[in-house]
């Protein structure tokens, strides 16, 4: 009854998995992003799922949507950078992290610049 209840889709997917219906579970997961394609919450939920599933190319698509729809939320940028690092796209990750470092973010997000700097440090160590 509430198409924007993202936890309901996740719960439905979990129930389908327990019932052995992987196709329906996958359909419930993709609905997360389809129900409101211009809002970040569903893309963020699906990106998180794809990241946990180690389906990183698909996670990247969703993290990019999060960044596109929530430009003023640095947490999506950091998650995108992390996924890029995990896929070996270090130069693109570096550019995303530089954007976080030069951006102006609301204090409610905490010290995202410190996090970005630490992630950049790991990129430097991997070179």
């Amino acid at each position: 009854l509430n198409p924007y209840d993202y936890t309901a889709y996740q719960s439905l997917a979990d129930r389908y998995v327990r019932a052995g219906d992987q196709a329906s579970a996958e359909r419930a997961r993709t609905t997360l992003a389809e129900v409101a394609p211009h809002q970040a919450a569903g893309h963020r939920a699906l990106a998180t799922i794809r990241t946990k599933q180690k389906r990183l190319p698909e996670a990247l698509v969703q993290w990019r949507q999060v960044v596109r729809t929530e430009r003023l939320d640095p947490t999506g940028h950091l998650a995108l950078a992390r996924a890029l690092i995990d896929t070996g796209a270090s130069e693109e990750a570096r550019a995303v992290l530089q954007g976080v470092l030069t951006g102006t973010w609301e204090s409610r997000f905490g010290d995202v610049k410190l996090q970005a700097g630490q992630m950049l440090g790991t990129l430097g160590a991997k070179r």
Side-chain angles (χ1 to χ4, degrees):
L1 296 173
N2 180 1
Y4 301 108
D5 184 358
Y6 300 109
T7 58
Y9 293 111
Q10 292 171 318
S11 175
L12 179 61
D14 293 342
R15 286 181 284 159
Y16 277 130
V17 167
R18 285 192 300 275
D21 188 349
Q22 295 301 321
S24 294
E26 184 61 17
R27 183 68 190 114
R29 288 183 198 111
T30 58
T31 300
L32 286 164
E34 294 168 353
V35 71
H38 301 294
Q39 295 178 14
H43 293 290
R44 184 182 298 274
L46 185 55
T48 301
I49 290 167
R50 294 296 186 240
T51 300
K52 287 178 185 173
Q53 292 174 325
K54 305 279 191 242
R55 294 168 61 176
L56 295 178
E58 294 169 66
L60 279 173
V61 170
Q62 298 305 316
W63 286 124
R64 284 187 174 105
Q65 287 296 94
V66 170
V67 168
R68 183 185 65 78
T69 56
E70 279 190 343
R71 293 194 181 278
L72 300 178
D73 180 347
T75 61
H77 296 262
L78 291 173
L80 172 60
R82 188 172 319 283
L84 287 164
I85 291 167
D86 291 345
T87 60
S90 58
E91 289 309 310
E92 187 178 352
R94 189 178 312 279
V96 171
L97 292 168
Q98 287 294 341
V100 172
L101 288 173
T102 59
T104 302
W105 311 105
E106 293 180 23
S107 62
R108 67 185 169 112
F109 294 114
D111 198 348
V112 293
K113 290 186 179 191
L114 175 64
Q115 293 175 50
Q118 290 170 339
M119 289 174 74
L120 267 175
T122 65
L123 282 174
K126 290 184 179 182
R127 279 192 137 188

